[in-house]
Amino acid sequence: MLGTVLCAVASLLGALASSIDLLLVWRFLEGIGFIVVTVSIPTLVLRLTELSDRHRVMTIWSCYMPAGAAP
């Protein structure tokens, strides 16, 4: 949840930024939030799926992150 909130708040504040420096700061924080979400989703997906569906679900996830999460 923290990553999602960080993405949302940083995105909103980036849209309202009055200078390029503030925009870069908010974009950096938005990127951190995106990384937090992207890294934590496989664990969440594994907890929410049945054992028989895990291979299929992780295959779908690896389509999103082909280089980093391929089994």
Side-chain angles (χ1 to χ4, degrees):
M1 291 299 294
L2 175 66
T4 304
V5 170
L6 185 58
C7 276
V9 170
S11 181
L12 176 66
L13 292 174
L16 301 173
S18 59
S19 70
I20 194 73
D21 295 333
L22 279 176
L23 178 62
L24 290 174
V25 167
W26 296 125
R27 288 293 293 164
F28 175 77
L29 290 175
E30 187 179 357
I32 297 284
F34 176 76
I35 290 171
V36 169
V37 169
T38 303
V39 168
S40 64
I41 288 214
T43 303
L44 177 64
V45 166
L46 289 176
R47 286 187 182 196
L48 294 175
T49 57
E50 297 292 326
L51 186 59
S52 61
D53 295 330
R54 285 187 180 173
H55 182 69
R56 182 176 297 125
V57 170
M58 290 310 291
T59 300
I60 293 169
W61 174 249
S62 69
C63 291
Y64 174 71
M65 298 292 291

